[in-house]
């Protein structure tokens, strides 16, 4: 046997289903995705137009290090040359100045000349690639070749200057030694044979060896091959523009824009506090989603959906009633409390009325109790006839005076019969504005009234105010067998649904499920009223087909605008005028 107050188990998470559900939720943010695609297309158009008249020419240069034996395998060019430094030299202003002289570029166009050059180094090579971008194919090739030749010339000058400086340094060191050698040679020629001449001859030999070393170094430097490099691929005039073309640009822009739009939608989805799907609602309430009411094509409609031109709404109500009837937690005693989270109770009232009609259609004795004693309106919105007293009041005797009831507090013994058309009929205990709402809802008479469901083949449906706006619903939770939450998933946060479940569980009740619906006509999506029931004027009384005027809500005084306190009980809910369905 299932324990009455135990919350329903959370639905099992199937990873593929969750992924599909998340992808479907991304598609809810079509505006963000569309904006991303639009931005991408604009970028593609800009790319296609900006590169339509752009031409790129490329020249390649292989660098060489100075060497006296180019076939020496022990020589490592990558150790002698820093390619990164050479790339910076190629991009320097000195190289650009040399190219400008050759091209005849004026000083005002010098910056543009440098801006069009790009020098890269393919990995694992000693190659510098000069890429020049210009508006003309011939100009691009001409400037690429000029820049590469200017770089080779500057590198040659730098290498020659380095060699000349080293040769000069060796000569400066050799000349004093050579001068001393000449003077010593003259002295030796004048000296007589003996120990002194032998010592001088030994010193002369040392000086000759030193001068020979300097001469050898100078000769080696002068014999070096100082070629800085060679052009392996000269630039030629390109035959096509550098851009991908307008078609490819648009395709790339659309792909990038779609990725940006999906990313923005995903970020919006992650930080969206509202339930993203029916699965989110079920996980927050730990109860299944019993139905999703279709959007009314006419933007309005009666409380009773049976007999309307569009049968989808009535069938959805029947489906919800069928699922409830086979819930073991509800089937034993059949007491159902219908509430909305906050804001308007219009849809919750429609759900309660149509569930009562659906249960009546299956042959059950249905009693609908309007426990909304702050804004009672069902009596004026439904096609009703006066009926007998409810069973809890039989035998008490007394007949209410015209226009008044036997008791001054709700419930007062009044019972109406609602004609649900093809679905049959059910009883209605209309709400009435009470001086002390909590005392009226927790009274013994209200408890006996709700216990009508204990009779065989009976069902009681109770409509209460929004659970997060008033505590009225929580006062009734322990008297019913389950709670049905009616909400617009885009007008409430997941934390609010969790709070509803915790409040109902703490009061000893069980959430049987949820019924979801689209925003009401005139409401902005996601902008639901979070301060309580919205204020509105009393609805006009409906006249059913038999022409009998329906009971009016008891008139009451409304607080002045400056004195009105939201949620003080003076707010009213205006339900749509009832239309009789086709029979």
């Amino acid at each position: 046997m299932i324990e009455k107050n135990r919350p329903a188990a959370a639905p099992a998470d199937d990873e593929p289903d969750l992924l599909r559900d998340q992808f479907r939720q991304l598609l809810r943010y079509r505006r963000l995705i569309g904006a991303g695609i639009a931005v991408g297309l604009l970028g593609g158009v800009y790319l296609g137009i900006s590169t339509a008249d752009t031409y790129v020419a490329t020249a390649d240069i292989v660098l060489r290090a100075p060497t006296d034996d180019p076939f020496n395998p022990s020589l490592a060019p990558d150790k002698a040359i820093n390619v990164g430094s050479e790339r910076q030299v190629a991009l320097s202003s000195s190289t650009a100045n040399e190219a400008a002289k050759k091209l005849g570029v004026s000083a005002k166009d010098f910056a543009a000349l440098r801006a069009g050059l790009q020098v890269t180094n393919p990995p694992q090579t000693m190659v510098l690639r000069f890429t020049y971008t210009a508006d003309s194919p011939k100009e691009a090739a001409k400037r690429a070749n000029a820049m590469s030749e200017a770089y080779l010339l500057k590198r040659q000058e730098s290498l020659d200057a380095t060699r000349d400086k080293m040769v000069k340094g060796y000569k400066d060191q050799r000349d004093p030694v050579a001068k001393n050698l000449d003077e010593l040679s003259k002295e030796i020629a004048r000296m007589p044979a003996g120990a002194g001449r032998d010592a001088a001859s030994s010193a002369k030999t040392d000086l000759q060896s030193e001068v020979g070393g300097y001469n050898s170094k100078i000769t080696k430097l002068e014999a070096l091959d100082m070629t800085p490099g060679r052009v392996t691929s000269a630039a030629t005039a390109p035959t096509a523009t550098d851009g991908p073309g307008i078609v490819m640009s648009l395709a790339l822009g659309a792909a990038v824009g779609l990725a940006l739009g999906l990313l923005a939608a995903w970020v919006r989805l992650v930080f969206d506090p509202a339930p993203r799907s029916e699965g989110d609602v079920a996980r927050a309430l730990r109860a299944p989603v019993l139905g999703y009411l279709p959007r009314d094509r006419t933007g309005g409609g009666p409380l009773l959906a049976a007999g309307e031109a569009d049968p989808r709404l009535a069938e959805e109500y029947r489906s919800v009633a069928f699922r409830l009837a086979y819930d073991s937690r509800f089937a034993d005693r059949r007491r159902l409390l219908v509430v909305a989270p906050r804001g308007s109770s219009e849809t919750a009232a429609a759900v309660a009325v149509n569930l009562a009609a659906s249960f009546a259609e299956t042959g059950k004795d249905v009693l609908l109790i309007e426990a909304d004693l702050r804004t009672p309106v069902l009596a004026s919105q439904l096609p009703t006839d006066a009926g007998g007293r409810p069973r809890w009041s039989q035998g008490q005797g007394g007949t209410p005076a015209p226009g008044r009831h036997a008791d001054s507090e709700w419930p007062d013994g009044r019972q109406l019969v609602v004609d649900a058309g093809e679905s049959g009929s059910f009883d209605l205990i209309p709400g009435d504005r009470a001086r002390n709402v909590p005392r009226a809802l927790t009274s013994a008479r209200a408890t006996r009234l709700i216990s009508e469901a204990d009779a065989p083949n009976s069902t009681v449906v109770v409509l209460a105010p929004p659970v997060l706006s008033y505590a009225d619903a929580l006062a009734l939770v322990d008297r019913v067998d389950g709670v049905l939450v009616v909400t617009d998933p885009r007008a409430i946060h997941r934390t609010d649904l969790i709070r509803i479940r915790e409040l109902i569980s703490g009061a000893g009740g069980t959430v049987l499920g949820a019924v979801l619906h689209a925003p009401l006509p005139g409401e902005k999506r996601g902008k639901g009223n979070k301060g309580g029931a919205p204020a509105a004027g009393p609805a006009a009384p409906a006249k059913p087909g038999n022409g009998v005027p329906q009971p009016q809500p008891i008139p009451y005084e409304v607080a002045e605008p400056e004195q009105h306190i939201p949620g003080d009980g003076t707010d009213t809910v205006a339900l749509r005028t009832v239309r009789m369905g086709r029979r």
Side-chain angles (χ1 to χ4, degrees):
M1 181 177 179
I2 299 178
E3 186 178 347
K4 172 184 174 182
N5 293 331
R6 186 193 309 175
D13 293 338
D14 187 5
E15 185 174 352
D17 290 341
L18 288 176
L19 292 176
R20 286 191 293 269
D21 181 67
Q22 289 181 1
F23 183 76
R24 285 194 298 268
Q25 295 308 311
L26 286 178
L27 299 182
R28 286 169 42 189
Y29 304 103
R30 297 184 182 87
R31 293 184 179 180
L32 283 176
I33 298 176
I37 294 176
V39 172
L41 289 176
L42 290 177
V45 171
Y46 174 78
L47 177 64
I49 294 176
S50 62
T51 59
D53 55 351
T54 301
Y55 297 88
V56 175
T58 303
D60 291 341
I61 293 178
V62 176
L63 301 178
R64 290 182 72 252
T67 178
D68 57 351
D69 186 2
F71 304 103
N72 185 1
S74 63
L75 181 63
D78 57 335
K79 302 297 183 182
I81 300 176
N82 189 326
V83 182
S85 299
E86 295 300 328
R87 178 177 172 273
Q88 295 300 322
V89 172
L91 292 170
S92 64
S93 59
S94 60
T95 303
N97 282 326
E98 190 67 29
K101 294 176 182 178
K102 185 175 182 179
L103 295 172
V105 176
S106 61
K108 65 179 181 179
D109 296 331
F110 179 74
L113 175 65
R114 292 188 64 185
L117 178 64
Q118 183 180 6
V119 181
T120 57
N121 169 234
Q124 306 299 324
T125 65
M126 299 297 294
V127 175
L128 288 182
R129 179 163 296 164
F130 288 73
T131 303
Y132 201 91
T133 304
D135 298 337
S136 169
K138 293 183 178 180
E139 188 68 19
K142 181 180 179 182
R143 294 195 173 192
N145 289 327
M147 296 296 286
S148 60
E149 292 172 1
Y151 166 73
L152 287 178
L153 180 59
K154 298 300 293 185
R155 177 169 168 75
Q156 180 71 62
E157 292 178 354
S158 176
L159 293 176
D160 290 342
T162 301
R163 182 183 62 178
D164 295 342
K165 184 176 181 179
M166 294 185 66
V167 168
K168 182 178 181 301
Y170 284 133
K171 287 182 178 180
D172 291 343
Q173 297 179 49
R174 182 200 62 182
D175 289 345
V177 178
K179 183 178 180 181
N180 293 335
L181 178 61
D182 292 342
E183 294 177 353
L184 184 58
S185 297
K186 292 177 181 179
E187 290 180 3
I188 292 175
R190 294 192 300 267
M191 292 177 64
R197 184 176 180 141
D198 293 340
S201 297
S202 177
K204 176 182 178 182
T205 302
D206 294 339
L207 291 176
Q208 287 176 343
S209 176
E210 186 176 356
V211 171
Y214 286 125
N215 289 334
S216 177
K217 293 179 180 179
I218 293 172
T219 302
K220 186 176 181 180
L221 286 174
E222 292 177 344
L224 288 177
D225 182 3
M226 304 299 292
T227 304
R230 69 180 187 276
V231 178
T232 59
S233 176
T236 58
T239 59
T241 60
D242 177 57
I246 187 65
V247 176
M248 184 61 69
S249 297
L250 288 176
L252 291 175
V256 174
L258 178 61
L260 290 176
L262 289 176
L263 178 61
W266 178 80
V267 173
R268 178 67 177 88
L269 181 65
V270 168
F271 292 99
D272 188 0
R276 299 187 291 262
S277 64
E278 295 182 9
D280 280 357
V281 176
R283 283 186 287 272
L285 292 176
R286 295 184 184 175
V289 175
L290 301 178
Y292 202 123
L293 303 182
R295 187 185 296 273
D296 193 350
R297 296 175 182 174
T298 62
L303 288 180
L304 275 171
E308 286 302 303
D310 186 2
R312 297 178 305 153
L313 190 57
E315 291 301 324
E316 187 66 27
Y317 285 126
R318 292 189 181 99
S319 176
V320 174
F322 178 82
R323 296 173 185 175
L324 284 172
Y326 283 87
D327 191 322
S328 58
R329 295 165 298 177
F330 173 73
D332 293 339
R333 295 196 297 172
R334 301 170 302 282
R335 299 172 180 173
L336 180 66
L337 179 66
V338 181
V339 294
R342 54 160 53 94
S344 173
S345 294
E346 180 177 349
T347 306
V351 170
V353 169
N354 285 278
L355 286 181
S358 299
F359 288 132
E361 192 174 15
T362 62
K364 295 184 180 298
D365 296 329
V366 181
L367 176 63
L368 173 61
I369 302 175
E370 185 182 14
D372 187 351
L373 307 184
R374 304 177 187 274
T375 56
V377 289
L378 289 187
S380 63
Q381 299 296 322
L382 294 173
T384 59
D385 293 321
R389 293 189 176 192
R391 295 173 186 170
W392 62 266
S393 62
Q394 290 178 359
Q396 291 182 357
T399 303
R404 295 297 298 172
H405 307 301
D407 301 314
S408 59
E409 293 292 340
W410 184 90
D412 55 8
R414 183 173 51 144
Q415 180 172 332
L416 304 176
V417 177
V418 178
D419 182 7
E422 297 177 354
S423 299
S425 62
F426 58 89
D427 295 334
L428 169 66
I429 302 298
D432 196 2
R433 295 182 62 84
R435 292 190 299 270
N436 192 322
V437 174
R439 179 178 299 175
L441 293 177
T442 57
S443 64
R445 289 182 296 178
T447 302
R448 291 197 302 271
L449 183 62
I450 298 176
S451 66
E452 289 288 310
D454 293 339
N457 202 37
S458 298
T459 300
V460 171
V461 180
V462 183
L463 173 64
V467 66
L468 294 181
S469 300
Y470 306 102
D472 300 357
L474 300 179
L476 299 169
V477 163
D478 60 345
R479 293 169 174 78
V480 298
D481 298 285
V483 180
L484 183 65
V485 180
V486 182
T487 181
D488 173 13
R490 300 302 297 163
I492 192 171
H493 294 175
R494 291 188 295 272
T495 54
D496 292 336
L497 294 176
I498 295 174
R499 182 186 173 199
I500 290 174
R501 170 177 55 81
E502 293 175 347
L503 288 174
I504 293 175
S505 299
T510 300
V511 179
L512 296 180
V515 174
L516 308 182
H517 63 89
L520 297 176
E523 280 188 2
K524 291 185 178 180
R525 195 172 184 84
K527 299 291 186 181
N529 181 16
K530 298 187 178 182
K543 294 185 179 181
N546 56 12
V548 178
Q550 299 304 303
Q552 302 293 316
I554 298 176
Y556 55 93
E557 295 181 359
V558 180
E560 295 296 329
E562 62 274 6
Q563 299 175 348
H564 175 69
I565 303 175
D568 64 350
T570 61
D571 301 359
T572 62
V573 177
L575 297 179
R576 294 187 288 264
T577 304
V578 65
R579 289 201 309 266
M580 290 302 297
R582 299 177 182 176
R583 300 187 180 181

